[in-house]
Amino acid sequence: MSAIPSDDFAFLSNLLKRRSGLVLTPDKLYLVESRLMPIARKEGLADIAALISKLRQPGSETLQRAVTDAMTTNESLFFRDKTPFEHFEKVIVPSLLPSRPQKRLRVWCAAASTGQEPYSLVLTMAEKAAQFPGLSLDILGTDICAEVIARAQAGIYSQFEVQRGLPIQMLVKYFTKEGDNWRLKENIRQQVKYKLFNLLESLSALGQFDVVFCRNVLIYFDRDTKADIITRIAKILPEDGYLILGAAETVVGLTVPFQPHPTAKGLYVKAAAAALTPPAKVAAG
Amino acid sequence: MKHCLVVDDSRVIRKVARKILEELSFDISEAEDGRIALDACRQKMPDAILLDWNMPNMSGIEFLRALRKEAGGEHPIVVFCTTENDMDRISEALSAGANEYIMKPFDRDIIEAKFTEAGLV
Ligand SMILES: C[S@@+](CC[C@H](N)C(=O)[O-])C[C@H]1O[C@@H](n2cnc3c(N)ncnc32)[C@H](O)[C@@H]1O
């Protein structure tokens, strides 16, 4: 394998951990080569070692950001795992609407990548519009990586991307063909707002949400980072709010104020307020 | 085991599709154009049909229209698999009774995703 001196590897993994939460284990060394060599070349540098030594110099903020972005895994697909979108329409929306007189739900896709996840929510509800008259979804998609946010905003997908998870009827109904690519129609695109946002930062600027999708991003972080992010998400969700994690993720085993939904897999609800507060001391007399 | 008829004039494509679909536990038979496929369906209706568009003798769309008029011809789940990738063509296929639509080139992931979409996997 490539020879990255161990102190260089340590420097790089610290940088990534601090900037994005990513835990870079030695078995991911091959990713370092393939993801960072293009950046090194663009900088006119011979190899990864030269890139890292440039990263160590003061004033390398832009380069650090480029390296952090390049190390993110942005894989996504329409209706990934299917059930979260079924749960959204069958469990989440019906349970929240009665207590939302404005019929307005705020949803946050916390690692939206190229937009398939938030757009799948829009498409799910577009298909069910008749069932939920007056419902308005206010969806925010965020990601740490500027390039994927730009792609999400454009709503343009390759032939390959529209063939994984997206039923053909939806392609015909909601997309137009642009050259070799497929673009979501304006009325769908405009239902999602996008913003560059790092999950390690304070969430308070984002406001309150009813539902948070935080899927397939925590897997890259260590336990403490996961628990910290989930705990902070709890603070921007009301008592009846929902958290949705990826198929390979769970709150089980983490000390966080959520518990699995009793029936809907992948859905998490706030742990009963009672379970959180320490048992009250019985005041004598 | 579900039976899938693979209809394509290219032997190579039929072979690739057969391999992928066999891995998905389908029983496969092949036809090299629409006419042969229609004869095969009259013998025994498959559960699924993977269908090319442009073929000699009888095209995929002609085959599909004929199939849907046959006794039992409404049953097979038909998945087009073609280089035709214009919106008009896709709409035409859907109104002729196609259940799903794959734009070539395809790979294992796409076949699996589309067959799942069509309720076959
Ligand atoms: C595998 S994608 C998940 C996309 C989508 N949620 C899904 O499940 O298909 C993970 C995304 O998390 C983003 N990400 C990684 N670290 C992040 C951080 N600290 N803050 C915000 N987003 C981050 C990456 O840029 C990447 O686009």
Side-chain angles (χ1 to χ4, degrees):
Chain A
M1 205 56 240
S2 73
I4 298 180
S6 67
D7 64 326
D8 275 357
F9 186 78
F11 173 83
L12 185 64
S13 55
N14 281 336
L15 177 101
L16 294 169
K17 171 88 193 299
R18 174 169 48 81
R19 293 194 65 106
S20 74
L22 178 73
V23 175
L24 187 67
T25 45
D27 62 308
K28 295 281 157 56
L29 212 54
Y30 71 96
L31 275 183
V32 173
E33 274 290 324
S34 64
R35 302 257 182 99
L36 299 189
M37 260 325 278
I39 298 184
R41 265 182 231 114
K42 218 158 87 191
E43 293 287 314
L45 301 165
D47 54 21
I48 301 293
L51 180 67
I52 292 177
S53 98
K54 189 152 185 194
L55 284 170
R56 287 177 189 268
Q57 287 161 23
S60 61
E61 171 62 26
T62 311
L63 191 60
Q64 290 196 11
R65 182 173 312 147
V67 164
T68 308
D69 278 11
M71 288 306 296
T72 58
T73 297
N74 312 116
E75 164 100 358
S76 191
L77 43 133
F78 285 102
F79 297 98
R80 184 174 194 166
D81 301 327
K82 274 211 161 132
T83 45
F85 304 95
E86 289 168 16
H87 291 335
F88 187 73
E89 158 222 327
K90 297 203 172 87
V91 180
I92 299 179
V93 173
S95 89
L96 292 178
L97 270 190
S99 56
R100 304 291 190 279
Q102 315 280 324
K103 298 200 175 179
R104 184 186 172 81
L105 294 179
R106 279 203 86 204
V107 182
W108 178 31
C109 290
S113 189
T114 35
Q116 286 93 332
E117 180 177 275
Y119 289 136
S120 297
L121 284 173
V122 176
L123 297 182
T124 299
M125 297 321 286
E127 292 285 296
K128 299 287 163 180
Q131 208 174 308
F132 303 103
L135 169 69
S136 99
L137 286 185
D138 185 354
I139 306 180
L140 174 70
T142 63
D143 202 283
I144 193 177
C145 176
E147 191 186 322
V148 294
I149 285 296
R151 284 203 53 205
Q153 265 159 347
I156 299 172
Y157 299 93
S158 71
Q159 179 166 299
F160 180 72
E161 289 169 315
V162 296
Q163 299 208 81
R164 293 175 71 204
L166 189 74
I168 194 70
Q169 286 82 2
M170 286 199 181
L171 183 74
V172 171
K173 208 159 150 189
Y174 301 112
F175 287 74
T176 50
K177 202 172 174 207
E178 285 191 3
D180 288 338
N181 294 319
W182 297 83
R183 183 167 207 187
L184 270 162
K185 289 184 180 167
E186 162 89 45
N187 65 330
I188 300 297
R189 275 186 281 134
Q190 74 187 12
Q191 293 188 55
V192 184
K193 299 267 172 299
Y194 289 99
K195 200 176 148 167
L196 201 59
F197 183 80
N198 186 343
L199 283 168
L200 301 186
E201 285 165 25
S202 161
L203 310 183
S204 55
L206 300 175
Q208 291 285 122
F209 294 91
D210 299 294
V211 186
V212 175
F213 281 74
C214 185
R215 300 169 68 221
N216 303 301
V217 61
L218 299 179
I219 30 167
Y220 301 105
F221 303 157
D222 65 18
R223 275 179 70 93
D224 288 349
T225 311
K226 281 181 208 180
D228 171 57
I229 293 172
I230 295 177
T231 304
R232 289 186 293 116
I233 289 175
K235 300 205 175 97
I236 58 163
L237 273 181
E239 288 314 303
D240 59 355
Y242 290 92
L243 169 68
I244 296 91
L245 300 178
E249 297 159 332
T250 178
V251 303
V252 177
L254 297 174
T255 314
V256 292
F258 284 98
Q259 62 191 32
H261 185 276
T263 53
K265 198 168 174 292
L267 241 63
Y268 298 87
V269 294
K270 284 207 171 176
L276 285 180
T277 43
K281 293 214 173 67
V282 181
Chain B
M1 224 186 203
K2 280 190 173 148
H3 172 209
C4 180
L5 177 63
V6 175
V7 191
D8 200 303
D9 57 345
S10 153
R11 208 173 56 85
V12 177
I13 299 271
R14 292 201 304 273
K15 203 172 150 195
V16 173
R18 170 189 279 272
K19 186 161 181 294
I20 294 171
L21 287 165
E22 279 177 349
E23 278 167 22
L24 295 171
S25 295
F26 281 90
D27 202 10
I28 303 298
S29 51
E30 299 179 19
E32 60 197 60
D33 65 37
R35 188 159 299 159
I36 297 170
L38 198 57
D39 285 343
C41 288
R42 283 174 180 149
Q43 300 287 313
K44 181 173 173 266
M45 276 299 166
D47 301 298
I49 301 173
L50 187 73
L51 184 63
D52 187 17
W53 193 299
N54 299 302
M55 293 175 291
N57 302 320
M58 185 188 262
S59 71
I61 196 85
E62 289 165 339
F63 160 81
L64 178 57
R65 293 199 177 105
L67 173 78
R68 292 306 193 204
K69 288 185 195 129
E70 291 285 316
E74 69 283 3
H75 285 307
I77 302 251
V78 174
V79 179
F80 255 105
C81 183
T82 166
T83 50
E84 298 288 346
N85 60 8
D86 278 344
M87 193 63 104
D88 292 350
R89 281 304 165 105
I90 301 176
S91 303
E92 190 183 351
L94 291 179
S95 38
N99 300 84
E100 257 301 340
Y101 197 103
I102 294 170
M103 296 172 268
K104 286 175 181 168
F106 63 88
D107 63 5
R108 206 199 125 91
D109 281 354
I110 290 178
I111 296 248
E112 189 171 355
K114 289 296 187 177
F115 271 59
T116 307
E117 215 54 67
L120 284 163
V121 179

